[in-house]
Amino acid sequence: MRRTVLAFATLLAVCGIATAETYPSRRITVIVPFGAGSGTDGVARVVTQRLAEVLKTTIVVENRPGASGAIGAVATARSAPDGYTLMFGGSSTHAANPSLLKSIQYSPKDDFAPIARVGLFPYILVINPGIEAKSVGELIALAKQKPGTMSFAYSNALGQLAGEMFKRRAGIDIQAVPYKSSPEAITDVIAGRVSLMFNDVTSTLPLARSGQLRALVTITKDRTKLLSDLPTIQEQGVDLGNLSAWTGVFAPKGTPPEVVEQLSGALREILDEPAVRQRLAEIGFEAQWLSPKQFAEHVAADIERWATLTKEAGIAPQ
């Protein structure tokens, strides 16, 4: 009996080594919990294209938008922990949702294996070009002239938080309008059905450059090197702190540690490549890798930070 047990244990160990050595042996699915054309989607497609080449496998990006990313997060958390289902999560799914949703069907800390943070999205304030405001001060003055007639669109947690904090700290009355994904929200801002939006640079800056939107400010603490000519909202008299969004790669809890380390190492290698960093910078994304341990610590700290910020902004869970 003892020999049988030892033989079985040896077999399991050998199988485990073989699994680590042969991963990946089939297609990987990467869930993006936001719509096609969103900032997270753009970053995911740049990174996964190169990741597929490094891992010598096929990677399919699957968009599952809705509920500030919660739909995609639940799908990922309930997937097999074998390294073949990954997710580009971020500030909404893994920091804000516990404070914004009354009922959340996953735990950002307990249901996932953090693989690597990929980087940061600077956020900017954009308005419909038909609004006669060229600065934040002029926008506030218009809003105060006609209370309740302006509105802001949001499709994620940071967009909602920035809008509510802007209302409070500028002392204006504007209506919040939620959307399932940022492309839908942006479309309505362009059409004039909604007045303004706080959104990531990746999905809004090209439209601002083409004249379909007007970019007023960034909401970062300091001017971002990606948009050095655009002032910060603090420079124009409204302090929103240092609001920024991040994204990173997660796997379901229980994914083998060797697979997590392999994926994390591959992502670090990719994000160090000048060509990849340049492609990401061109779409308004700043590559910043964090290890699995650092990433887990970052998530835990950001959950606490969001709990404080949403309370300050007067946002009740829905």
Side-chain angles (χ1 to χ4, degrees), residues 134-318:
K134 300 294 176 61
S135 68
V136 169
E138 291 178 2
L139 180 65
I140 292 171
L142 286 174
K144 287 183 176 180
Q145 287 173 14
K146 299 179 180 180
T149 60
M150 284 190 178
S151 55
F152 75 91
Y154 71 87
S155 62
N156 54 47
L158 189 57
Q160 180 184 10
L161 177 65
E164 294 295 345
M165 289 181 69
F166 180 55
K167 285 172 57 177
R168 283 180 171 246
R169 296 191 177 183
I172 56 177
D173 177 15
I174 56 176
Q175 304 301 311
V177 184
Y179 286 82
K180 186 176 181 181
S181 66
S182 61
E184 297 172 3
I186 291 168
T187 296
D188 276 5
V189 177
I190 292 172
R193 288 185 283 271
V194 186
S195 309
L196 59 96
M197 182 179 187
F198 291 88
N199 203 49
D200 62 81
V201 171
T202 304
S203 54
T204 47
L205 188 60
L207 297 166
R209 285 173 173 163
S210 70
Q212 296 177 77
L213 294 170
R214 181 180 300 139
L216 294 184
V217 290
T218 67
I219 61 170
T220 50
K221 182 179 180 181
D222 302 306
R223 291 199 183 198
T224 169
K225 60 184 179 181
L226 299 175
L227 300 165
S228 58
D229 59 333
L230 198 62
T232 68
I233 196 167
Q234 285 90 338
E235 288 177 48
Q236 298 204 354
V238 180
D239 184 7
L240 298 186
N242 186 24
L243 300 180
S244 62
W246 53 265
T247 190
V249 181
F250 295 87
K253 188 74 172 180
T255 299
E258 61 271 16
V259 171
V260 170
E261 289 300 325
Q262 182 181 347
L263 288 167
S264 186
L267 287 166
R268 182 174 190 175
E269 176 185 328
I270 289 166
L271 294 173
D272 280 341
E273 294 178 3
V276 172
R277 297 181 74 88
Q278 179 61 31
R279 286 184 65 193
L280 292 172
E282 287 172 354
I283 62 173
F285 184 78
E286 185 176 349
Q288 287 188 9
W289 179 88
L290 288 181
S291 70
K293 182 177 183 296
Q294 292 170 325
F295 193 19
E297 292 170 351
H298 171 77
V299 169
D302 220 30
I303 289 172
E304 296 301 320
R305 176 171 171 264
W306 273 88
T308 300
L309 289 174
T310 52
K311 185 177 181 179
E312 179 187 340
I315 302 175
Q318 297 180 352

Side-chain angles (χ1 to χ4, degrees), residues 20 32 57 67 85-86 90 124 127 131 157 174 196 213 233 240 248 251 284 298:
V32 173
T57 191
T85 300
L86 308 175
I124 60 176
I127 65 175
I131 296 174
I174 56 176
L196 59 96
L213 294 170
I233 196 167
L240 298 186
H298 171 77

Side-chain angles (χ1 to χ4, degrees), residues 109-128:
K109 290 194 290 186
D110 299 334
D111 291 341
F112 297 88
I115 293 174
R117 192 187 71 176
V118 175
L120 306 174
F121 294 101
Y123 261 52
I124 60 176
L125 168 58
V126 292
I127 65 175
N128 177 274

Side-chain angles (χ1 to χ4, degrees), residues 16-39:
I17 293 171
T19 299
E21 289 176 347
T22 58
Y23 175 84
S25 59
R26 54 188 171 87
R27 185 183 76 180
I28 296 172
T29 296
V30 172
I31 292 176
V32 173
F34 304 103
S38 63

